[in-house]
Amino acid sequence: SGLTPRQVRDWKRTFRRFVQTLTVRHGRRLVLKSPPHTARVPALLELFPDARFVHLVRDPYVLFASTCHLWRSLARKHGLQTPRPEVTRE
């Protein structure tokens, strides 16, 4: 992972606290949909041995178009300048 044992320990402690805070606040099962967690399955199982994982697969062409639309929408709403068409075209 490129992290020192201390960094891994600190990450696990912080992540556990984050998950516990969300779980207590909302009082229901937590669903994490962050793609980087795909590479963290072994660490997540250490922290949460009863965790369940769902592997979703999407059509890459639909996903690409959806991501382009997302970035265009974000640029229009939150951008500080008008995006160039060649950067945001599909």
Side-chain angles (χ1 to χ4, degrees), residues 36-84:
H37 292 318
T38 302
R40 299 180 180 132
V41 170
L44 293 172
L45 282 172
E46 279 183 41
L47 291 170
F48 311 106
D50 295 329
R52 295 188 210 172
F53 298 89
V54 177
H55 180 223
L56 300 176
V57 177
R58 291 182 64 187
D59 178 336
Y61 293 100
V62 174
L63 178 61
F64 181 78
S66 174
T67 301
C68 289
H69 174 73
L70 169 69
W71 283 105
R72 280 193 304 277
S73 298
L74 290 172
R76 280 192 301 272
K77 180 132 179 128
H78 302 289
L80 298 176
Q81 61 193 24
T82 303
R84 296 187 323 257

Side-chain angles (χ1 to χ4, degrees), residues 14-24 30 32 44 48:
T14 302
F15 190 75
R16 180 185 292 278
R17 188 178 310 135
F18 168 71
V19 168
Q20 287 173 335
T21 300
L22 291 177
T23 303
V24 168
L30 184 63
L32 302 173
L44 293 172
F48 311 106

Side-chain angles (χ1 to χ4, degrees), residues 1-9 11-12 36 39-43 46:
S1 72
L3 299 176
T4 67
R6 180 178 179 174
Q7 288 171 320
V8 171
R9 188 177 64 247
W11 179 86
K12 286 180 179 180
R40 299 180 180 132
V41 170
E46 279 183 41

